[in-house]
Amino acid sequence: MELLKKSFLDLTADAVAVCQSGPDGKVLQVAYTNHAFDLLFGAQRDWTFENTFPFAGVHRQLLQCPSEKVQETAELANEDGSRICVSASGFTYQDEATGELYSCVTYRDISGALVAAKATERSPEIDSPDEDLAALKDAHQRILSALNAYPDPIVIYDSDLKLVYRNNGYAASVTDKPDELIEGMHLKEVLRLAIQHGRYPVAVGREDEWINEILSPDTLEMPAQDVELDGDVHHRLLRSRAPNGDYVVIRLNSTELVREKRAAEEAQARLIAALNAYPAPFVIYDADDCLVVCNDAYRASMSNDPADLKAGMHRTEVARVAVRAGKIANAIGREKEWMSDAHQTQDVNKPVQDLELPGDVHHRLLRSRVENGDLVILRIDTTELVRQRRALERNSEELKKANAEITHMALHDDLTGLGNRRYLAKTLEEFIERRQVVGGEIAALHIDLDRFKQINDTMGHRAGDDVLVEAANRIRLVLEPGEAVARIGGDEFVVLAPLSDNLDRPGDLANTLLKALSRPVRTHDKECRVGASIGIAETPLSDVENLLTNSDVALYKAKHRGRGRIEIYDRSDLEDVRQAKALADDILRAIEEKEFEPYYQPQVEAKSGQIVGIEVLARWRHPEKGILAPGDFLPIATDLSVAGEIDQQMFEKAIDQCRSLPVAALGSIGLSFNVSEDRVNLTDLEDLRRRIQAYPGQISFELLETIFLEEQDDAFLQRLDELRNMGISIEVDDFGSGRASVVALQRINPDRLKIDRRLAPLVTAGSGGLRLLRSIIEIAQALELGVTAEGVETKEEADLLSKLGCDRLQGYYFAKPMPFSDLVALLEAQQDDPDVMTGLPVAR
């Protein structure tokens, strides 16, 4: 019905009413009238079908005989009380979702046409035939224009299936050349034309057979049919016969409905596959206790032949199948009693029930009703528990202990001993109930360890487990009585804190946790620094049912604002999350479309001013927003773990472009690329070797500041050696930002140091800045490393940094990052004038 409204009822200029049978099947009810109907007959009129509703008999006849075609003409009263002559014709439509049958009737005011006809009969000599013809032509043209304005295909064939009329939408659905559709063409030729233009992929290879199927009486008389067109486009055909025998077809675009249905079917298939992989019997009955879905284990537990259980069977009938198959030992000898409705009704109300099956096998049934009324039954194999209980009947205390252990395991994490997700949900429910009785508020602190993935990747899962256990202990130690903590997966923890008088407790606790988790963790004779990000949500700002979700949103905000921080949920954060999700989807699309491209920033030799290197930087050429810098997309790309893919695209495009640099520059200018830790560890060395051979100059990899160099394992260092052996130079980027130490430099043994761009302005800020930069440069010189200063923006900075010992300079003073065409022009300018980079800056 919604589809019919959007694609026809609300678009057509004709008056249309949709009706359905009432609860008793007799009295008609109005389901919908469009705007044109309200204008013709009045929107506020109190219609009753028996007396006043226009053409109630047409609606009634359509609903009683859906296959019949009905058309009537009568004189009716319109909204202002005047009499008008109206024709009515319609068709029936069944809603797939509800099965409800509707009558859809179109009303046309033909008073003008009748008056003109009568006037012509009375005095043909008075009215001009030319004027009548012009009026008819004008009306005809308006009808055609209206049909062509309708977006979906409409076509009329005569009783011999020859084309009488089609709108533009129909022509586009058949052919790329609308002129090929000629009035009088047989439907068979139209179908053949559509196949030739690739409109019906299902017909390829069986054209004649398919056409014959379409032209068969069974198909032509189908009131509705679904068809698939090229490009996964789907239409629903609504067919009807006019009183004169014309064959009328209207197409409604059902692509989205078909795709949604397909997605639902795929989701259902995955659910059924997952259920079948589950070893214990599982079943769902609907609110009427009819079978909806069950897994293979349930079928085997209830029948000897899996085909005995069919969707739609009542639960009591399924139970009778199991009793007759001898699957329930408790029912042996009591089959009649067990198969009775009374016994089955009694059992279904038990949330837990123990069953004995043949072979001394025991199952426990867990039953629950969900919100929509579905009955969910899960069987757990309790055979061993029952046998142990028999052996330990005299020792009830041991049995209680076993039950307590099972309960603890169900509610707690094996590794850390903290509560799990189930425990968290249970505790939150208890806090909510307590809040309803005694008042107060509830706070949720969502904690995520910032560098846990790097520790797992570089030091192994055992070290990761040690870190998780230590983090759990530190969180547990700072909690007050009544507060609860759970590990909900990976490196995420949630703390629940009931609040009464101390409303500052969430912030104080978060700060305490941040300090506790930032302390080093000793594992495998090494110290690991983890740190954490924390998101806080509190009632009443956050609804209790969304408390955990909103604390996760606040955590997301904390991680994206730099990590190692605390953020508090605000309602505006939901919009930020939605925007981040949209950006993430756009980045994935951009990677597929290869929209990321390299920009180039020259590096000059400090003494000569000549360009000796080029840093390759990523830019996103967005189809709507233009050129975007890394700050606009790199944080999200890193979270998506696709930054390495962007690096790879930059590397491949830059190598391909720079092969065509001016001949004089080849071999004398190096290319440097920013690389992530994953890029170093996961690079295909053979592919890399082939690509770097295409460029005659030096290739350098700059290790980004996100790589914690001091904590890299031997495998990482070995991979760096393999890169060096291939001729790739290793540089440490952003040195001085606090990420890398002298010890790390000695382990990495890079070829060059790049001073963090934020330090360059310090060279003119006084003696303190000079001492800091001189110390960094002296460290590099002591280790026999080249030194590049980034962020140089003035000639004074360039001169001082050169005097301090930086052999390479890079920054806006010399040139901004530029596209390849500007780089070529700059290199050609340097060929013509070698001193072009030593004077005024090229770009500001």
Side-chain angles (χ1 to χ4, degrees), residues 202-445:
V202 295
V204 175
R206 54 186 295 267
E207 291 82 356
D208 292 337
E209 180 185 353
W210 182 80
I211 291 175
N212 290 334
E213 290 175 359
I214 296 299
L215 296 179
S216 68
D218 291 341
T219 302
L220 292 177
E221 295 304 321
M222 291 173 61
Q225 182 184 9
D226 294 317
V227 296
E228 179 179 355
L229 308 179
D230 186 37
D232 194 26
V233 174
H234 301 266
H235 280 183
R236 166 156 289 189
L237 275 64
L238 301 178
R239 299 185 180 95
S240 60
R241 288 279 188 183
N244 66 350
D246 281 356
Y247 180 62
V248 182
V249 181
I250 299 176
R251 283 193 187 181
L252 303 178
N253 192 326
S254 59
T255 302
E256 288 304 316
L257 289 177
V258 171
R259 292 177 181 173
E260 290 175 3
K261 179 181 178 183
R262 183 192 303 152
E265 289 172 346
E266 291 174 355
Q268 182 178 8
R270 286 195 296 270
L271 173 62
I272 292 175
L275 292 179
N276 284 332
Y278 187 63
F282 180 90
V283 65
I284 298 177
Y285 293 95
D286 64 17
D288 296 323
D289 284 350
C290 292
L291 180 62
V292 176
V293 66
C294 65
N295 64 357
D296 292 342
Y298 185 81
R299 291 181 181 275
S301 71
M302 300 296 285
S303 67
N304 295 322
D305 183 356
D308 289 343
L309 270 59
K310 299 179 177 63
M313 289 180 65
H314 195 271
R315 175 186 49 77
T316 56
E317 184 57 33
V318 175
R320 293 184 181 105
V321 170
V323 172
R324 286 193 291 266
K327 292 292 185 178
I328 303 177
N330 294 1
I332 296 176
R334 303 167 54 203
E335 289 83 356
K336 186 175 181 180
E337 176 190 347
W338 268 71
M339 290 191 294
S340 67
D341 289 343
H343 183 86
Q344 294 300 322
T345 302
Q346 179 183 6
D347 277 353
V348 79
N349 293 324
K350 298 177 180 177
V352 180
Q353 183 181 11
D354 291 319
L355 292 181
E356 182 180 350
L357 308 180
D360 194 26
V361 174
H362 300 266
H363 280 184
R364 168 160 288 186
L365 271 63
L366 303 178
R367 298 186 182 94
S368 61
R369 289 277 185 187
V370 294
E371 292 181 358
N372 66 352
D374 284 356
L375 174 64
V376 180
I377 302 177
L378 174 65
R379 279 196 187 187
I380 300 174
D381 190 332
T382 58
T383 302
E384 290 305 315
L385 290 176
V386 170
R387 292 174 182 175
Q388 289 175 10
R389 184 184 61 192
R390 289 176 187 160
L392 301 174
E393 286 179 347
R394 296 180 181 178
N395 195 343
S396 59
E397 291 301 322
E398 288 296 324
L399 182 59
K400 291 179 182 178
K401 181 180 178 181
N403 288 333
E405 290 176 356
I406 292 173
T407 301
H408 185 273
M409 290 173 61
L411 296 175
H412 290 79
D413 173 47
D414 291 338
L415 177 64
T416 63
L418 298 181
N420 55 18
R421 285 183 179 273
R422 190 179 300 173
Y423 168 83
L424 181 67
K426 178 176 175 292
T427 303
L428 178 58
E429 185 177 347
E430 293 173 356
F431 282 12
I432 293 172
E433 292 175 355
R434 187 186 311 160
R435 177 173 179 254
Q436 293 172 343
V437 175
V438 302
E441 303 298 340
I442 306 172
L445 285 71

